[in-house]
């Protein structure tokens, strides 16, 4: 009896790369120069992008790469093609995707290097910049009307363990929650400075019995010689810590 000819096995259909229409997690990231990351090293392998991570750039939404301008305050990063600097935003987003490959992350970066927390007061010009840039970024996303979380990395210009900082931080969270593009019930995560006493105020977000607020540790992270700014490896690490905490919060 003749043997049946072997049937050709169907080949897997290549997955279609995601687009901005597929973003599941839209994140606003703001703070001082450690949120900016300028002046740090870049490694083509460690700092490679991911097709499931998008950034709002000078040219609109694009697959995130450290060789883009995400924030015009990114001094002295004047030529990202030849002088890329690190940033924890990319590593945060890559960690979220690593934890859950079904997610697609888009982030908006708006920073104010060297500024105290009062710079974010809602009647100020910078806060209006945040409103405007966030609204513009959302308007280019067909499936999004609000951000899904906020990452806050600030405190170096305040420094002290001062209860007024903690009070102002909670007021800032309430201000963000009043925005139509954020609201309550979504993660607000801060990160410690390298070593300043203000960390004790930031850590309160881990003890306030609010499941939507938290703080990631800077323990063990190296700094540049100035003692305040994180190295590239530290930015990678704290980015992953942000990603882990955010992923735990949204489970």
């Amino acid at each position: 009896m003749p043997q049946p000819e072997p049937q050709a096995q169907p080949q897997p259909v290549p997955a279609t790369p995601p687009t901005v229409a597929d973003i599941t997690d839209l994140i606003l990231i703001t703070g001082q120069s450690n949120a900016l990351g300028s002046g740090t090293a870049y490694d083509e392998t460690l700092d490679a992008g991911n097709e499931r991570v998008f950034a709002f750039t000078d040219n609109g939404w694009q697959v995130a790469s450290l060789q883009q301008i995400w924030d015009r305050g990114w001094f002295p990063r004047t030529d990202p093609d030849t002088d890329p600097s690190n940033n924890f935003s990319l590593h945060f987003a890559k960690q979220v995707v690593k934890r859950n490959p079904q997610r697609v992350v888009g982030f908006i970066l708006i920073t104010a290097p060297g500024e105290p927390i009062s710079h974010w007061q809602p009647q100020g010009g910078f806060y209006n910049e945040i409103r405007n840039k966030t609204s513009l970024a959302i308007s280019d996303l067909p499936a999004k009307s609000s951000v899904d979380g906020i990452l806050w990395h600030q405190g170096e210009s305040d420094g002290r363990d001062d209860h007024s900082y903690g009070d102002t931080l909670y007021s800032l969270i309430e201000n963000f929650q009043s925005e139509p593009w954020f609201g309550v019930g979504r993660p607000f995560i801060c990160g410690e400075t390298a070593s300043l006493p203000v960390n004790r105020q930031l850590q309160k977000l881990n003890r306030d019995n609010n499941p939507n607020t938290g703080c990631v540790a800077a323990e063990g992270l190296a700094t540049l010689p100035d003692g305040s700014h994180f190295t590239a490896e530290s930015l990678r690490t704290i980015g992953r810590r942000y990603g882990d905490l955010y992923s735990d919060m949204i489970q």
Side-chain angles (χ1 to χ4, degrees):
M1 179 182 294
Q3 297 295 313
E5 293 185 6
Q7 297 295 311
Q9 295 298 311
Q11 297 298 309
V13 178
T16 303
T19 69
V20 294
D22 301 308
I23 289 175
T24 58
D25 299 78
L26 180 60
I27 309 298
L28 169 63
I29 301 172
T30 187
Q32 290 188 236
S33 49
N34 273 319
L36 198 55
S38 61
T40 50
Y42 168 78
D43 182 285
E44 289 186 0
T45 301
L46 296 176
D47 304 319
N50 182 300
E51 67 177 6
R52 304 187 73 81
V53 175
F54 291 83
F56 191 62
T57 77
D58 268 14
N59 297 309
W61 285 103
Q62 296 181 336
V63 173
S65 165
L66 287 174
Q67 293 177 301
Q68 295 165 334
I69 293 288
W70 303 337
D71 184 349
R72 273 292 167 186
W74 204 316
F75 181 82
R77 189 177 172 184
T78 55
D79 186 355
D81 289 331
T82 59
D83 181 32
S85 292
N86 231 293
N87 186 282
F88 76 74
S89 304
L90 175 67
H91 302 288
F92 154 78
K94 288 169 65 175
Q95 185 71 2
V96 172
V97 169
K98 181 180 179 180
R99 290 272 302 260
N100 185 343
Q102 300 304 309
R103 308 201 81 83
V104 179
V105 180
F107 59 83
I108 308 160
L109 182 68
I110 314 173
T111 65
E115 296 293 348
I117 193 171
S118 58
H119 193 66
W120 279 259
Q121 52 103 5
Q123 295 80 25
F126 182 68
Y127 193 89
N128 283 331
E129 287 182 32
I130 293 176
R131 283 191 178 113
N132 294 338
K133 186 172 180 178
T134 301
S135 297
L136 179 63
I138 292 173
S139 71
D140 285 346
L141 298 178
K144 282 289 178 184
S145 60
S146 59
V147 301
D148 299 291
I150 294 177
L151 307 187
W152 168 261
H153 207 99
Q154 191 276 341
E156 293 86 353
S157 290
D158 296 275
R160 296 180 299 170
D161 179 13
D162 185 339
H163 288 288
S164 67
Y165 181 94
D167 293 343
T168 304
L169 179 58
Y170 276 103
S171 293
L172 176 66
I173 295 171
E174 291 177 359
N175 292 335
F176 280 132
Q177 289 174 336
S178 71
E179 296 293 340
W181 40 259
F182 188 47
V184 298
R186 298 178 183 186
F188 182 99
I189 304 173
C190 71
E192 293 180 347
T193 67
S195 61
L196 293 172
V198 71
N199 286 348
R200 285 188 282 273
Q201 296 299 318
L202 295 166
Q203 290 161 2
K204 287 181 177 179
L205 270 63
N206 286 335
R207 304 190 299 270
D208 60 6
N209 296 317
N210 183 340
N212 300 308
T213 61
C215 180
V216 298
E219 181 181 5
L221 299 186
T223 65
L224 298 174
D226 61 17
S228 296
H229 293 91
F230 293 125
T231 64
E233 183 54 36
S234 293
L235 290 172
R236 296 181 191 113
T237 299
I238 203 165
R240 291 191 292 268
R241 291 176 183 177
Y242 271 109
D244 284 335
L245 182 53
Y246 174 82
S247 297
D248 291 342
M249 284 177 146
I250 63 173
Q251 284 181 348

